[in-house]
Amino acid sequence: MEKPMVPRFGLTIDITPRGLPFAVVAGAGGSLAIWVEAPVYAIACGVFFVTFRVGVRRWRGRGF
């Protein structure tokens, strides 16, 4: 049985969109995948990180 992947207490993960339109970046990533014959999942990870800003912060205390 697999355990779900959840953040621990005291860990904040922020995912915010950048100014780039997702459809344009995804289309460019799809074109790149076809052109270089790369696996789609490899290009999808790159497109995700180009389109979204992912930040991880760690804090202490309960903050009530």
Side-chain angles (χ1 to χ4, degrees):
M1 179 178 217
E2 294 181 26
K3 293 183 179 179
M5 196 168 102
V6 295
R8 294 182 178 192
F9 180 77
L11 185 69
T12 302
I13 301 172
D14 298 323
I15 301 175
T16 56
R18 295 182 191 250
L20 302 171
F22 183 73
V24 172
V25 176
S31 300
L32 176 66
I34 292 170
W35 184 41
V36 298
E37 298 177 2
V40 175
Y41 59 84
I43 300 298
C45 291
V47 167
F48 177 79
F49 285 114
V50 167
T51 308
F52 296 101
R53 178 177 291 128
V54 179
V56 178
R57 291 183 288 151
R58 191 168 177 201
W59 47 276
R60 297 191 183 263
R62 295 208 176 250
F64 288 109

